[in-house]
Structure formats: C-alpha cells, structure tokens
Amino acid sequence: MRLRTLFRTSATVRVAPFAIALCLYLYFPSNQNQVLRTVPYAPALVHQAIGVTAPYIYATVAGLGVWQMGQAKKSGLFDYPLVRRQFRMAAQLALPTVMLGLVMLVLPIACALAETGIAPTVDSLWIPAHRLFLVCCYLLLGMAVGYWFPPLIAAPLLAAAVHLLVSFSVGLEPFWLRNVAGQFDLLMYGELPTWQAFVAPMLWASALACAATLTWMFRNRPRAAAAAALVIATTGMFTAQRMVRDFGATNPVVSARGSSTCTSDVPRICVPSYAAPSLGKFTRMSRSVLDDLRENGISASPSEIRSTELDGRRSRPSTHATWRLPLTGPMSPRVHYERVLRYKLSLLSVSLPCEQPDPVAGNKAALFAASTAGAGEQFEGALRSWSRAGEGRGPVVKEIKRDAQAALRLPAGQRKAWYQDTVNSACS
C-alpha cells in the first residue's frame, strides 16, 4: 500500500487533530506550572512534561490499534496465508498511529524546553525513547485485541483500561505494579532512572504485545501459537517483576550526571552549570569565611566545595578534603542566604578527633567557629532547640555561650590556643 493511500484512508489521520488538542490541553496550564517549577535540568523537564500525558497517549494508540485492525480485518486485508506479507501489512497499518504517538510525545517536551530555554541533552532523550517503545507495545496489544473482538466495543474498553491501569498504578500496592507500568518518580538535578527502571516496563509491555500478536499472526496453528504466547508472556512478565520487586515506592536513580561548573583555584568550588552566573558570589563568600576561620586557628583547608545538588537526592557526606553544601537550590532565594552558608561552612570546619566527643566542649568549639564566621546567631538557635530537647540543659547552654563569648574577646594568639585546647578536651 502506498503511503499516500495509507494516510488518506487511515482513521488515525482523522482522529489526530482531536488527540493532539487534548494532549496539549493536559499540558496547559496545570502541568505547565509544574514544569516551570522543575529544576533546570533537561531530563527532569522532559519527564515532567510527559508524565501526565503518557497514560493518555498509551490509551489513544491502544484504542486506535483496535479500531484500525478491526476495519482491516473486515475488509479482508489479512486473509493472505503468508505470515511475512501479513507482518508487512500490519507494520504499514501501524505506521500512522506510531507517528501520531511520536507527535503527542514530542509536543509537550518541545513546549517545556522552549518555555524554560533549556537545551536537550543526550540523557534527556532516554525518557521519550522509552515512552515511544511503550507506545509501540500498546499499539500492538490493541491490534491483537481488534482482530479478535468487535472494535466498536473493544476500542473504548481497552483505551479506558490502559489509561486507568497506568495512571493509577502510582497508588497501587505492591509497589512493583507502578514500576512495571513505567511511572517514574520526579527527577532531581543530575538524576536519571537506572537501566533496570527503564528495561522492566519495556520487558513487561513487550511480552504482552508479542504474546498477543502471536495469537492472530499464527492463527492457522492455534495450539502452537497459544503455547508460545503463554511462554513469552509468562517469562517476560515474571522477569520484569523480579527486576523491580525490591524497588519500593520510588524507582532507583543514578546521580551526578548533570553538568557542573568549577573554579580553577583551590579550593575548587563546583555548582550546577545553570548556577554558573552566581559562582563568583559563592566563591567570594566561601573564601571570606575560610579566611576568618583560619585567622582564629580553625583548620579550614578543603580542596573542594561542592553543591549538594550535584549529587541528587542521595547526597554523600562531606570529607576532610571535600565539603558538600547546599550552595544552590531551594535555599538560594532566602534573604539571609549568606549567613546560612557561613553557618554551614563553620560547622564543617570543626573536626573533632573522636567518634563520641563531649557535647559541652564540642558545642563550645562549634559556637566559637560559627561566631568567628559571623553565624553565631544561627548556632545559638540550634543550642536553644537542643536545650528544649532534654531536662537540665539550660545551665549547660549558658556555660557554652559564656565560655565561647569570653574566648572571642581574647587576643588572636590566645584564641587559637583556646580553640585547640577545647577541641582536645572534647575527646579526652
């Protein structure tokens, strides 16, 4: 069949304007607001853009597959005995619907990227490619249903079933149901679903699609086709379930895949690339705090200061050489952001040489460091919370404040000696 004739006679072409319009309606304005609040990271934007529309797209292509196959069977298009010829005709019949699914996937993504000004990356292509594969699987499933059942009844029923099962899978238990449905959790900066999270839904859907296709493609040998379909469906679905059985409510992700921008001097200060214009501000604040700490005898010589946003939701702990701080993200718009940064840098600078230090001496050293860095008020607030958490801590907090304030009034050389003595006494 010629392509021109194929598209002229396809029901998909007549349905396409309404399907695309509804897809855009689902994106604007509710999902659009979520996209604009998403972290400026291409895979996260792409995932957010099609997260709401994906179940609707699956349902649309499944329903169209039922209708297209029903009409083709009615016209005698699949009366030929050669499987190879039937496969070619089925591929031609599915082509317009696959292209419609592709357009419905690309449109929300294009809108999201255009509105935010974020350029697509190689990692951002994995999610739409994964969704397109699932679109093809649901289309094949719909075509198999359309061969065996009346399309007027089967098309709306299958479309509704697909939409409900996929969209409501996030609220179902056991948790593996949402993972084999391909409903990913929201992504943070630098995150991407693991290969198991990508493969399991593809394996589940393709097993169903292949098994259903065998039942009508080899209908002249029903027993062999039924046995092969049962083996393929059972094996694929069981393997997919075993892959995701330990995932929990959210799918696993790999982190640190986002681009970063770093300074060249020591300590290197690294932030996400979208925050590069603010890197100079972060550098000045960080080095100012480190200079103040070192002037008072506090060892503050990290080789690198990294924004915790670069590690995604599973932030790694700081080490002596690498300090991790929330340089960017939700804390950056705050009015007193500089004091928060000073406070966290001062806490990282206090290194006590034991695992269970004396809390009184340790808090004295920490309050001294925070006050030196200009963040004494923040640490005193933490001390008040600590005081309310247990009885008899009020006098201890007063002692901590008194000794730390007295140390701040000492000459520079004595301040350094006092700090070292306090750190040593915390572990004696």
Side-chain angles (χ1 to χ4, degrees), residues 308-340:
T308 52
E309 195 175 5
L310 292 171
D311 297 323
R313 72 194 67 189
R314 296 179 177 86
S315 180
R316 290 178 288 177
S318 297
T319 63
H320 180 74
T322 303
W323 292 3
R324 290 180 169 85
L325 295 167
L327 296 176
T328 54
M331 197 172 61
S332 55
R334 293 183 181 176
V335 176
H336 302 298
Y337 173 68
E338 182 174 354
R339 276 188 281 175
V340 175

Side-chain angles (χ1 to χ4, degrees), residues 39-44 118-127 187-196 198 251-261 271-274 306-314 316:
V39 61
Y41 171 60
I118 303 298
T121 61
V122 174
D123 282 347
S124 67
L125 300 178
W126 286 107
I127 294 176
L187 299 176
M188 298 179 66
Y189 189 85
E191 291 185 341
L192 199 67
T194 60
W195 69 268
Q196 295 94 332
F198 276 122
N251 57 277
V253 294
V254 291
S255 303
R257 296 183 67 91
S259 59
S260 61
T261 303
V271 297
S273 293
Y274 74 86
R306 291 178 60 84
S307 174
T308 52
E309 195 175 5
L310 292 171
D311 297 323
R313 72 194 67 189
R314 296 179 177 86
R316 290 178 288 177

